[in-house]
Amino acid sequence: MRHTLAVLVENNPGVLARVAGLFSRRGYNIDSLSVGRTERPDVSRMTIVVEGDQSVLEQVTKQLHKLVDVIKISDITPEEYVDRELVMLKVNADPARRGEIMQIADVFRARIVDLGRKTVTIECTGDEGKINAFEESLRHYGIKELVRTGKIAMLRGHKATSLEEKRDED
Amino acid sequence: MELTAAQGLIRCLELEGVDVLFGYPGGANLPVYDALHESKIIKHILVRHEQGAVHAADAYARVTGKVGVAIATSGPGATNLVTGIANAYMDSVPMVLITGQVSTSQVGTDAFQEVDITGITMPITKHNYLVKDAKKLPSIIKKAFHIAASGRPGPVLIDLPKDVASEIIKFDYPKEVSLRGYKPIYTGHKAKIKEAAELMMKAKRPVIYAGGGVLSSHATAELRELAEILTAPVTNTFMGLSSFPGNHPLFLGMLGLHGTRYANMAVTNCDLLISLGARFGDRVTGKIESFAPNATIIHVDIDPAEIGKNVRVDVPIVGDVKSVIHDMLSHLKKKDRSDWLEEVQNWKKQYPLIYSREGKLKPQAVIQKLSEYSKGDVIVATDVGQHQMWVAQYFSFMNPGSLISSGGLGTMGFGLPAAIGAQLGLPDKRVILVTGDGSLQMTIQELATAVDQKLPLKIFVLNNSTLGMVRQLQEFYTDKRYMAVHFDFVPDFAMIAKAYSIEGYTITSEEELDKLLPEIMENDKAVVVNCIVDSNVNVSPMVLAGKGIIEAIDC
């Protein structure tokens, strides 16, 4: 089963290497990992999608907790949450087929962000299922390049996975 | 007070109570050594190789309960620490390592003697720091000592670039540390402790399985009280040895792949396994499905990640072993279990540790004689290999913390520097090193450090001209096709001792050992005793790969 973890970490150099290194050396499979800053400059947030049964998840969580730079881990999988991913694709598009492609983009509420002589570049956001479907519908035109951000997620309603404690230096 | 960061560093170490520091100087740590020159409190021990420094600091920490500190320069100095850091990480030893680094402007340029030591040691430290801002150095050191010594102890590395070390800072050492991502739990969950205590009272055949955590939490008195109140036999992991008196009627010795048969039988037949500060490592469990198959398992550990990692656990208790046992005792009443005890005693009688004393001097006999002669009132450092297992089997430990050995990593070459660190930590104790001809040659250069420091180490080399443990493995696993396990040339260790200006003996029989032991043990200088032993002896019993611990063979 796949789990989505929201992990708050110190915004220190090397923290990504610590987390990534932990996953690789202990043989855990990361489906995706995205990291960025949060409402607090000293805290970064990682959204990690990890594949494994309950015992794997338990070990992942416990081992992550052992990292001094990891502040808080929330497994949001069983909760109500919103998740999004951004994809950018560069698709082969002769002038003749551009119309079709733009229609597909419309269906997915995607946006054309660049045009080349023989290509269009499209961005699309959504949950994983939508992004997969979008990718699939463009595949037969020939995808020259594709990049996905990995999933980010947030709990619905007033619930939050942020910190309440007071801040600490380094 | 204005100081250079390097002077600040030394001041911080003094404030942390560091009085002995093991190290080796170089270019990138020049400012640190210059600052060390001014310290009247810290004694610097100059080793002959950085690996010696880190193992010595490790053993110093084990015997004193303080944080061990080792220092090295950048590049090769730092990489030479790596084995020792991994060793301390595996055995949960509190240490702070300080490495020099090239100047910040040169970091990342493949400068002379530059290596990314924080990157290299990330998987083998509890945490590490690259100091980029001199102002933060005092708080980093405070945190490093706190992290190293608290919770499940371990090594922390601080990498200090040369230019940062020379910066002037306003010195202010923080009194407290706050790390929001690091909050070890010491007190066990009340309800779980009660549940465990109820199980202990109900159990018919309980066994206590005690590991290194009992020693690091100083819970040996509590362990004994628990065992006696429950009338539960106690078995030790290798790391747990010396946490329970070797001559106690409830003691079963070590369990696992080279454990006693009676310990393995007790564990296999128990209905309640009480694991205290142990981690169900593969050397202990053998085939995991056959390990304590009928037992309810209580697992007490300060590291939550150890619980449920290797075996299913019925009652998990995260906390400090000492505190947890203390809380447990209030729920317990004296319990007599004569039937169970009798059964265990019968196994002890039926399946004792045995070896043949015929022919050449047997390595086990040397250990037994050392145990008898010293009555266990010594610190025993060992290296890694067959001799180490024979120490575990045949030395009767009487005092907590009296075995200093590399358990998790199995580092050959640990012994001699560890003996040095132990002796410096406990100058009034007799320190014995039991080593092999293979292990000793890995860090033999540290004899110079021992002589330099006038340490009266008693070094017993069980010399079989063989890498005995690997030979034994090849006997069983590669059909006696012995490859690269016999040394064609072994130096004369007694002569080597003489070259280092200390006494060297060569002995070939038990009689010689009996005769010379008083003279050897009373010598106030270091002594090397080259014991020429039978090279065809195996560590027995032995559990073959993939087998359960009950299926041990005699070999």
Side-chain angles (χ1 to χ4, degrees):
Chain A
M1 155 159 195
R2 290 165 76 186
H3 296 267
T4 303
L5 305 179
V7 183
L8 296 174
V9 298
E10 298 288 350
N11 184 12
N12 284 345
V15 64
L16 179 59
R18 287 181 205 280
V19 171
L22 172 71
F23 276 82
S24 75
R25 74 176 170 270
R26 296 215 178 248
Y28 308 138
N29 293 320
I30 302 183
D31 254 38
S32 81
L33 187 156
S34 63
V35 56
R37 56 184 192 79
T38 63
E39 73 280 5
R40 304 169 57 140
D42 56 334
V43 175
S44 300
R45 176 158 164 162
M46 293 182 179
T47 308
I48 304 174
V49 181
V50 58
E51 176 76 45
D53 60 19
Q54 202 54 41
S55 68
V56 169
L57 182 77
E58 190 182 318
Q59 266 298 307
V60 168
T61 310
K62 285 171 165 179
Q63 294 293 348
L64 275 173
H65 262 302
K66 284 177 74 165
L67 299 178
V68 172
D69 280 342
V70 169
I71 307 165
K72 187 176 175 184
I73 304 164
S74 317
D75 179 8
I76 62 169
T77 320
E79 312 272 339
E80 287 290 318
Y81 65 91
V82 189
D83 66 302
R84 286 291 179 273
E85 201 177 345
L86 170 68
V87 64
M88 283 169 67
L89 308 105
K90 190 170 286 179
V91 188
N92 288 331
D94 300 335
R97 309 188 81 172
R98 274 189 192 168
E100 281 172 48
I101 290 171
M102 287 165 95
Q103 269 180 351
I104 292 170
D106 266 350
V107 172
F108 285 92
R109 271 174 272 165
R111 293 199 318 146
I112 311 285
V113 288
D114 191 41
L115 283 173
R117 273 198 301 135
K118 290 182 176 168
T119 60
V120 292
T121 303
I122 316 173
E123 67 160 58
C124 180
T125 60
D127 64 14
E128 200 191 354
K130 173 179 162 185
I131 302 294
N132 288 346
F134 182 55
E135 195 183 316
E136 210 38 57
S137 63
L138 291 173
R139 189 168 298 283
H140 70 277
Y141 295 100
I143 297 172
K144 282 177 71 77
E145 198 179 344
L146 180 151
V147 54
R148 292 171 74 148
T149 57
K151 179 174 169 176
I152 57 169
M154 197 173 270
L155 292 177
R156 285 188 186 274
H158 71 280
K159 279 199 200 164
T161 56
S162 55
L163 283 181
E164 286 107 42
E165 299 160 73
K166 64 177 198 300
R167 58 176 299 197
D168 175 82
E169 300 297 301
D170 35 71
Chain B
M1 192 172 29
E2 288 201 340
L3 298 170
T4 66
Q7 288 169 324
L9 163 71
I10 301 305
R11 190 79 200 98
C12 294
L13 296 182
E14 290 173 352
L15 291 169
E16 283 295 333
V18 176
D19 47 7
V20 177
L21 180 65
F22 301 86
Y24 208 95
N29 64 13
L30 273 177
V32 176
Y33 269 81
D34 192 35
L36 201 49
H37 196 262
E38 295 157 19
S39 176
K40 292 185 178 61
I41 297 168
I42 299 174
K43 181 177 178 186
H44 176 266
I45 308 296
L46 177 61
V47 292
R48 297 301 185 269
H49 183 290
E50 288 85 353
Q51 188 184 354
V54 63
H55 290 327
D58 174 320
Y60 184 85
R62 294 191 206 210
V63 299
T64 60
K66 298 206 258 183
V67 175
V69 183
I71 183 163
T73 192
S74 63
T79 52
N80 279 346
L81 294 178
V82 168
T83 301
I85 297 173
N87 189 77
Y89 187 67
M90 292 286 271
D91 286 350
S92 308
V93 179
M95 289 221 279
V96 169
L97 296 313
I98 296 154
T99 47
Q101 181 56 280
V102 300
S103 290
T104 38
S105 61
Q106 288 183 307
V107 168
T109 65
D110 302 318
F112 177 65
Q113 292 195 329
E114 183 195 354
V115 77
D116 171 20
I117 196 64
T118 47
I120 289 171
T121 57
M122 216 172 255
I124 52 168
T125 49
K126 253 184 108 171
H127 196 55
N128 61 24
Y129 294 94
L130 169 62
V131 186
K132 288 182 175 159
D133 178 355
K135 287 192 296 297
K136 288 186 174 165
L137 183 66
S139 88
I140 286 175
I141 293 168
K142 184 82 194 168
K143 285 173 188 170
F145 273 84
H146 172 66
I147 293 168
S150 58
R152 177 180 183 172
V156 178
L157 181 136
I158 300 170
D159 197 23
L160 182 60
K162 194 175 173 186
D163 58 330
V164 176
S166 307
E167 267 178 56
I168 302 291
I169 55 167
K170 249 182 107 175
F171 184 74
D172 183 20
Y173 198 53
K175 285 191 182 60
E176 277 170 24
V177 208
S178 136
L179 288 157
R180 55 188 168 182
Y182 178 76
K183 296 201 165 60
I185 297 161
Y186 288 93
T187 316
H189 192 276
K190 292 259 175 307
K192 289 282 172 206
I193 289 177
K194 194 148 177 275
E195 186 186 344
E198 280 161 12
L199 286 167
M200 289 175 186
M201 292 309 289
K202 262 190 263 165
K204 291 197 168 63
R205 305 148 76 87
V207 168
I208 296 174
Y209 151 57
V214 174
L215 290 165
S216 47
S217 80
H218 304 285
T220 53
E222 286 79 4
L223 168 64
R224 187 170 174 168
E225 201 179 338
L226 180 72
E228 287 173 354
I229 200 166
L230 293 176
T231 325
V234 176
T235 179
N236 274 146
T237 66
F238 179 72
M239 288 302 294
L241 285 170
S242 84
S243 66
F244 199 73
N247 63 351
H248 197 288
L250 289 170
F251 190 52
L252 298 173
M254 182 175 76
L255 80 166
L257 301 200
H258 290 303
T260 63
R261 283 187 181 277
Y262 39 93
N264 288 345
M265 293 176 90
V267 167
T268 306
N269 289 292
C270 72
D271 64 354
L272 179 69
L273 187 70
I274 305 161
S275 168
L276 304 172
R279 61 185 178 95
F280 297 85
D282 55 294
R283 303 288 98 173
V284 159
T285 60
K287 184 179 163 194
I288 210 112
E289 298 77 23
S290 322
F291 185 74
N294 307 312
T296 304
I297 297 180
I298 298 168
H299 190 176
V300 182
D301 205 293
I302 197 151
D303 181 356
E306 286 303 342
I307 295 178
K309 187 177 83 177
N310 295 338
V311 297
R312 46 143 199 105
V313 171
D314 300 288
V315 186
I317 303 176
V318 176
D320 177 58
V321 173
K322 189 184 179 88
S323 148
V324 171
I325 303 181
H326 176 269
D327 292 351
M328 247 168 210
L329 286 168
S330 64
H331 299 286
L332 299 173
K333 281 197 287 286
K334 176 78 185 165
K335 184 100 179 170
D336 177 51
R337 290 187 172 94
S338 42
D339 289 356
W340 173 227
L341 216 53
E342 202 186 310
E343 203 172 340
V344 171
Q345 293 302 345
N346 282 340
W347 290 329
K348 266 182 156 176
K349 277 189 212 119
Q350 227 176 321
Y351 305 104
L353 287 170
I354 41 161
Y355 62 94
S356 151
R357 284 173 116 141
E358 272 168 44
K360 290 183 182 163
L361 175 61
K362 295 296 181 284
Q364 300 97 317
V366 178
I367 310 291
Q368 231 172 353
K369 290 204 176 289
L370 290 174
S371 180
E372 284 158 15
Y373 184 86
S374 66
K375 301 185 179 66
D377 189 24
V378 284
I379 302 290
V380 183
T382 84
D383 256 299
V384 170
Q386 286 184 313
H387 71 270
Q388 181 189 31
M389 290 299 106
W390 287 318
V391 167
Q393 293 176 332
Y394 291 98
F395 199 96
S396 183
F397 291 96
M398 301 305 296
N399 300 316
S402 53
L403 170 64
I404 306 296
S405 192
S406 166
L409 193 66
T411 312
M412 289 174 70
F414 174 79
L416 178 55
I420 290 169
Q423 185 75 81
L424 283 159
L426 299 173
D428 300 327
K429 272 273 177 193
R430 201 32 108 216
V431 176
I432 294 179
L433 167 64
V434 180
T435 179
D437 50 300
S439 287
L440 181 60
Q441 290 187 78
M442 285 207 174
T443 48
I444 197 165
Q445 75 286 345
E446 299 305 330
L447 271 179
T449 311
V451 174
D452 230 5
Q453 301 297 328
K454 303 185 174 56
L455 304 177
L457 305 178
K458 305 298 167 239
I459 302 168
F460 292 84
V461 190
L462 301 189
N463 183 354
N464 55 8
S465 305
T466 302
L467 300 173
M469 189 56 104
V470 187
R471 188 205 57 75
Q472 180 169 347
L473 296 176
Q474 292 183 354
E475 178 178 333
F476 290 96
Y477 297 122
T478 59
D479 206 16
K480 298 190 182 175
R481 287 190 301 279
Y482 297 121
M483 180 64 203
V485 290
H486 297 294
F487 289 128
D488 289 333
F489 173 77
V490 178
D492 181 336
F493 294 107
M495 290 281 280
I496 286 183
K498 294 199 173 75
Y500 280 92
S501 81
I502 54 175
E503 209 62 59
Y505 297 86
T506 297
I507 62 146
T508 54
S509 70
E510 289 188 37
E511 294 70 40
E512 276 177 286
L513 186 59
D514 285 334
K515 206 177 93 204
L516 289 168
L517 255 185
E519 180 183 327
I520 291 164
M521 297 298 273
E522 297 320 311
N523 195 321
D524 58 2
K525 282 192 188 171
V527 173
V528 176
V529 187
N530 182 25
C531 310
I532 309 294
V533 298
D534 191 342
S535 60
N536 289 314
V537 187
N538 284 327
V539 179
S540 175
M542 176 187 190
V543 177
L544 293 172
K547 300 282 186 189
I549 56 170
I550 200 75
E551 302 172 82
I553 54 164
D554 290 311
C555 57

